Amino acid sequence: MMDLQQLPVFIDILRQALTSLPAEVRRVFHGRGRTYAGLEQITADWLQGQLLITLFSEETPEFVTRLEQQLTTLGQEMNHTILLQHRYQAGAPTQVLTGEVDTAPVVVEEGLRYQLDVGRNQNMGLFLDMRLGRRWMKAHSAGKQVLNLFAYTCGFSVAAIAGGAERVVNLDMARGALTRGRENHRLNGHNLDKVQFLGHELFKSWGKVRKSGPYDLIIIDPPSFQQGSFVLTQDYQKILRRLPELLADQGEVLACVNSPEVSTQFLLDEMQREAPTLTFVERLENPPEFPEEDAERSLKVLHFIHHP
């Protein structure tokens, strides 16, 4: 349980953030990194007009009531829309505490536009901790053939095309997410002839994926668990062993893990075992707005190069 006595610390940080607003979409409080004692299950994201507070665990009624009261007072004081998502509840319902909710805002990250889905699903359509990964993609994609696995709403694809990629293949079994990805490309004025969207389950689609290769750059950004289709610690290896046949010579891979229980070493060991022609280069840094007490519990984005 979180510490009721630490709520004023949280509110003061939010007040400072609302006084000096980020120019783009940004996390402004990251309790999940365990660097704020007593506030480990709460985060806050600035959505360029709305402040989204996410509560990840069921707390005491007193804590929730005080949180709602103090956030409402803050929103009225600063004249901003404040939303509170109860992530731990079925359907992750979102309360509108002050102002009016925009359920489909268009936000900017690193100069690129993305449409979010606020208040209707657990996730809003853009994982903010991957900001530097998308920046890396934009800087390294010029002239390349790119494969984006578990593409979701195609954030990596948008960054790749913005960086001059020759072509991007996006694969995700959630066709609704790919539809949003197509819209994200349109928002940025991209040539959709350079972008392919495959709404298929990966493990039944290797033929389609291989047909569009070889690839100069592959992104693997899977969920930790997806009912009936993917368990990270059991299924990641099945992807890694396919990489050599999908990659061009000197092709690159960004392999991602966002489970606090799965270490960097797991990915290094499995890559060595399943695809030994891929050499580890570096682990990308996470954004500074996501401070972590233990880096191994945070997002892990590892860069590899293929040397056949």
Side-chain angles (χ1 to χ4, degrees):
M1 306 298 285
M2 289 193 288
D3 185 353
L4 186 61
Q5 302 305 313
Q6 293 303 308
L7 261 184
V9 174
F10 177 59
I11 298 299
D12 283 346
I13 291 172
L14 297 186
R15 181 177 286 106
Q16 293 172 25
L18 292 174
T19 300
S20 181
L21 291 170
E24 298 186 341
V25 63
R26 200 69 92 240
R27 176 144 300 182
V28 294
F29 183 84
H30 186 61
R32 299 277 281 175
R34 301 176 183 271
T35 59
Y36 294 94
L39 295 169
E40 295 88 352
Q41 299 298 324
I42 196 165
T43 63
D45 297 315
W46 173 244
L47 309 183
Q48 294 179 267
Q50 304 174 98
L51 185 65
L52 174 63
I53 312 301
T54 303
L55 190 58
F56 286 84
S57 65
E58 186 172 6
E59 300 295 327
T60 64
E62 182 183 9
F63 184 96
V64 174
T65 298
R66 290 277 294 276
L67 176 65
E68 292 171 348
Q69 290 172 344
Q70 293 188 34
L71 288 174
T72 298
T73 299
L74 178 66
Q76 293 170 344
E77 172 191 332
M78 306 297 289
N79 194 28
H80 281 296
T81 295
I82 296 185
L83 313 174
L84 176 60
Q85 182 188 53
H86 297 268
R87 185 72 168 258
Y88 56 92
Q89 293 183 9
T94 298
Q95 291 175 265
V96 182
L97 296 179
T98 60
E100 296 184 7
V101 63
D102 180 356
T103 60
V106 175
V107 299
V108 177
E109 181 201 74
E110 301 281 326
L112 297 173
R113 305 177 78 204
Y114 301 90
Q115 186 169 59
L116 305 184
D117 187 358
V118 176
R120 292 180 291 200
N121 297 298
Q122 179 173 285
N123 298 316
M124 62 184 175
L126 190 70
F127 293 109
L128 302 185
D129 56 350
M130 193 60 87
R131 178 170 68 86
L132 298 186
R134 288 184 286 269
R135 176 193 287 180
W136 186 96
M137 175 60 61
K138 184 179 177 182
H140 292 83
S141 58
K144 293 184 177 178
Q145 301 280 339
V146 179
L147 174 62
N148 186 18
L149 298 177
F150 305 96
Y152 189 42
T153 57
C154 305
F156 272 115
S157 180
V158 169
I161 293 295
E166 184 62 31
R167 187 161 173 268
V168 181
V169 176
N170 295 288
L171 188 142
D172 199 294
M173 64 185 296
R175 298 190 178 191
L178 291 180
T179 298
R180 178 58 55 86
R182 190 186 302 270
E183 181 59 28
N184 283 335
H185 277 290
R186 287 197 182 103
L187 284 171
N188 290 280
H190 292 163
N191 179 3
L192 287 175
D193 291 340
K194 292 188 170 187
V195 189
Q196 186 175 359
F197 303 91
L198 300 178
H200 305 296
E201 184 179 338
L202 173 59
F203 298 123
K204 297 178 181 178
S205 306
W206 288 119
K208 292 184 178 69
V209 171
R210 192 185 305 109
K211 184 178 179 180
S212 297
Y215 302 96
D216 304 300
L217 187 48
I218 297 177
I219 308 98
I220 314 166
D221 186 17
S224 298
F225 178 80
Q226 196 168 57
Q227 185 69 42
S229 65
F230 192 85
V231 178
L232 191 147
T233 53
Q234 298 174 20
D235 294 324
Y236 215 128
Q237 297 91 328
K238 300 174 186 176
I239 302 172
L240 300 182
R241 71 178 60 126
R242 295 273 189 166
L243 291 175
E245 67 188 65
L246 297 174
L247 284 162
D249 187 12
Q250 306 298 310
E252 298 175 273
V253 172
L254 284 187
C256 312
V257 171
N258 201 5
S259 169
E261 283 76 41
V262 179
S263 69
T264 302
Q265 198 60 47
F266 164 82
L267 204 45
L268 292 172
D269 290 345
E270 294 305 320
M271 187 70 84
Q272 178 62 32
R273 180 179 298 112
E274 302 291 346
T277 57
L278 274 88
T279 303
F280 174 64
V281 179
E282 63 176 335
R283 176 180 172 180
L284 271 59
E285 291 186 2
N286 290 333
E289 60 268 24
F290 286 81
E292 287 285 345
E293 180 187 55
D294 179 2
E296 280 300 304
R297 294 185 59 84
S298 66
L299 171 67
K300 293 162 277 283
V301 182
L302 305 189
H303 175 207
F304 297 85
I305 294 183
H306 184 219
H307 297 286

